[in-house]
Amino acid sequence: MGGGAVPVGGLAGRARAALRLAPGPGRRAQTKHECRFSNATGRVQVRFLFRHIYDRTEIARFDSARGRYEALTPLGEPDTECWNSQKEVLEDARAAVDTFCWCNYGLPEAGRVVGRRVQPVVTISPTKDDPLSPRTLLLCTAASFYPREIEVRWLKNGRRATEGVFYGEDLHNGDWTYQTQVMLEDTPQRGEIYTCQVEHASLKTPITVHWEPRTSKSAGSKVWTGVVGALLGVVYLAVGLSLYLRSRKGKGELEGP
């Protein structure tokens, strides 16, 4: 959860009092206070960030995970040195996790986000990069899940596949959910079973989706069926023509002079 220029106790006033930068023509200085909640490990973790931005560039910040102000550009070095030298400013910043973040944790919106669990929707999409190649690309997609941390693995005949596996980036959907894709490149054989297995905090047991290759036998039987049908057609045509000629010949003999 992020906040704009929201005062955090005496932190904002003391930090601003120490600012050495004055906005020039067309430039703007601003500060932002953010609370970042995470429950990836099963326990709620909170980080407080104080960000100092000048001319659209973040030049300094305080991260409660580090406990000190840090300069991100040379322009921010004088301010961070000044803030770190003031005991009261550092104490305010370090206490903001409790005085600012945890106080707002009970808000309805924060509660919905932090305690949220959304199960992934898992699908398998087979395709071929080259229609003439025997290799097949199997794409496992895990979509619309929250929180972000997820584990997707490919199994081949019950054993984890390690070769030909490619991982895509986690994508944010813009609605507090994520999606990711993992691809497996292989040459499927008849009787083999491929499984996409997904583990996530929203699941009591992993989701497993199976895929089996289409057997070449069915394709071959179709070809042989077509060949046999064509041959039978030729035989039937030859027999019919032979019977027709014999009937014509017999009729001519009966109507002879």
Side-chain angles (χ1 to χ4, degrees):
M1 181 179 70
V6 181
V8 184
L11 172 63
R14 289 170 183 159
R16 290 194 184 101
L19 291 178
R20 298 165 182 255
L21 296 175
R27 298 190 177 188
R28 180 184 177 187
Q30 60 178 314
T31 59
K32 291 187 177 181
H33 310 85
E34 300 179 3
C35 294
R36 298 188 177 182
F37 300 89
S38 172
N39 55 357
T41 61
R43 295 182 55 189
V44 177
Q45 297 177 323
V46 182
R47 288 172 58 200
F48 168 73
L49 293 180
F50 171 83
R51 303 170 60 199
H52 176 40
I53 300 171
Y54 183 72
D55 194 24
R56 300 182 180 181
T57 300
E58 185 177 5
I59 62 174
R61 73 164 53 174
F62 175 89
D63 186 341
S64 62
R66 297 180 177 274
R68 291 181 60 83
Y69 287 90
E70 296 178 311
L72 304 181
T73 69
L75 197 60
E77 291 178 357
D79 291 313
T80 55
E81 292 178 1
C82 177
W83 294 334
N84 287 327
S85 66
Q86 299 183 58
K87 182 179 179 180
E88 292 184 349
V89 172
L90 272 179
E91 288 180 349
D92 284 341
R94 291 167 180 171
V97 170
D98 296 320
T99 60
F100 179 60
C101 295
W102 279 110
C103 288
N104 289 294
Y105 176 72
L107 294 177
E109 182 64 25
R112 285 197 296 269
V113 173
V114 175
R116 193 180 185 192
R117 294 284 193 279
V118 182
Q119 294 185 1
V121 178
V122 183
T123 57
I124 294 179
S125 303
T127 184
K128 281 195 173 184
D129 187 31
D130 181 359
L132 300 179
S133 173
R135 300 186 69 80
T136 297
L137 304 178
L138 299 176
L139 187 65
C140 179
T141 303
S144 302
F145 59 87
Y146 187 89
R148 181 174 183 172
E149 290 72 21
I150 194 170
E151 184 172 356
V152 181
R153 62 172 68 96
W154 275 105
L155 305 178
K156 179 179 178 180
N157 298 326
R159 296 184 178 181
R160 183 166 185 174
T162 56
E163 296 183 359
V165 179
F166 305 93
Y167 295 86
E169 295 183 358
D170 295 343
L171 302 178
H172 194 286
N173 294 328
D175 60 351
W176 294 99
T177 64
Y178 296 85
Q179 64 175 321
T180 190
Q181 294 180 323
V182 180
M183 185 181 69
L184 172 64
E185 184 179 13
D186 200 11
T187 304
Q189 303 294 327
R190 180 185 175 188
E192 292 182 332
I193 299 178
Y194 293 83
T195 303
C196 179
Q197 187 178 80
V198 177
E199 294 184 9
H200 189 254
S202 64
L203 304 171
K204 293 183 179 180
T205 58
I207 292 179
T208 56
V209 178
H210 304 288
W211 181 85
E212 297 183 43
R214 293 181 179 180
T215 61
S216 58
K217 180 180 179 181
S218 60
S221 62
K222 292 180 180 179
V223 174
W224 279 108
T225 300
V227 172
V228 172
L231 291 175
L232 288 176
V234 173
V235 171
Y236 290 148
L237 179 61
V239 171
L241 181 60
S242 176
L243 292 175
Y244 173 76
L245 293 175
R246 289 178 62 184
S247 64
R248 292 291 296 175
K249 182 178 180 182
K251 184 176 180 181
E253 293 175 352
L254 292 174
E255 295 178 353

